[in-house]
Amino acid sequence: MNCTCYFQSPIGLIKITGTELGISEIIFVEEKIGTSSSFILKVVEDGIHQLEKCFQGKLKIFTLKLDQKGTEFQQSVWNELSNISFGKTISYQALAIQLGDKKSTRAVASANAKNKLAIVIPCHCVIGSNNELTGYAWNLERKKCLLEFEKYTQQINLF
């Protein structure tokens, strides 16, 4: 059984979908597609609550039960992304090296792009080797906003 709800963040509308197993999707959308579920699973309610706290500057580590489907390689990339500290960035190449294969940079970028758990699995924290913002499924302006927000909250020590 799926449950879908929407959360209006400061940088756009977020669609949150979950199952009894966990949150399967947190993505930016331009508009509500269909209607929200007539029921709310606790895991989706927790997702909304934690996103609210994050955008208020009161949360930097998510503790949500997740249920994102992907290949073994994609899962390994997403797990490594989860280890990125709030407010920090890493290059695609450095991420590939951490995963044990510098030559897998393109595959790492592809797995990063398939992440459907925006913000929670911080794919926005992956940048080019030249420190340039590159690629973000939900547009580079949002990526820039998220990185600036995290940097700002780190600087003023809201946590």
Side-chain angles (χ1 to χ4, degrees):
M1 182 180 321
N2 282 348
C3 168
T4 297
C5 292
Y6 294 89
F7 169 71
Q8 185 61 55
S9 81
I11 59 171
L13 185 65
I14 297 175
K15 176 184 172 188
I16 305 168
T17 302
T19 69
E20 293 85 7
L21 299 175
I23 294 198
S24 56
E25 185 178 61
I26 297 176
I27 61 171
F28 288 96
V29 295
E30 296 307 314
E31 61 186 51
K32 292 182 181 180
I33 302 165
T35 58
S36 294
S37 302
S38 58
F39 62 93
I40 298 179
L41 292 171
K42 180 169 181 359
V43 69
V44 172
E45 188 174 26
D46 290 347
I48 293 169
H49 178 71
Q50 288 189 29
L51 285 169
E52 286 173 341
K53 289 184 78 170
C54 174
F55 283 109
Q56 292 168 356
K58 298 178 181 176
L59 180 133
K60 63 181 178 178
I61 298 173
F62 290 91
T63 57
L64 298 170
K65 192 172 166 187
L66 305 176
D67 183 32
Q68 180 169 217
K69 306 293 187 224
T71 66
E72 186 177 326
F73 180 76
Q74 289 168 337
Q75 295 287 344
S76 69
V77 171
W78 300 333
N79 286 336
E80 197 64 33
L81 287 171
S82 297
N83 294 326
I84 299 172
S85 297
F86 187 87
K88 303 294 182 190
T89 58
I90 188 171
S91 71
Y92 292 97
Q93 186 175 54
L95 188 57
I97 291 168
Q98 283 184 356
L99 289 163
D101 185 4
K102 180 180 179 177
K103 294 178 183 177
S104 69
T105 302
R106 287 184 187 265
V108 165
S110 177
N112 193 56
K114 290 180 172 77
N115 174 38
K116 297 293 183 207
L117 293 169
I119 305 168
V120 174
I121 303 290
C123 56
H124 63 278
C125 294
V126 186
I127 59 174
S129 294
N130 58 0
N131 289 325
E132 294 290 321
L133 297 186
T134 60
Y136 190 57
W138 302 287
N139 85 40
L140 284 180
E141 191 57 36
R142 280 196 181 115
K143 182 175 188 166
K144 181 179 176 184
C145 287
L146 287 167
L147 291 172
E148 287 176 355
F149 169 74
E150 290 180 8
K151 184 178 178 182
Y152 172 76
T153 54
Q154 287 292 86
Q155 287 175 344
I156 62 170
N157 199 18
L158 289 175
F159 302 99

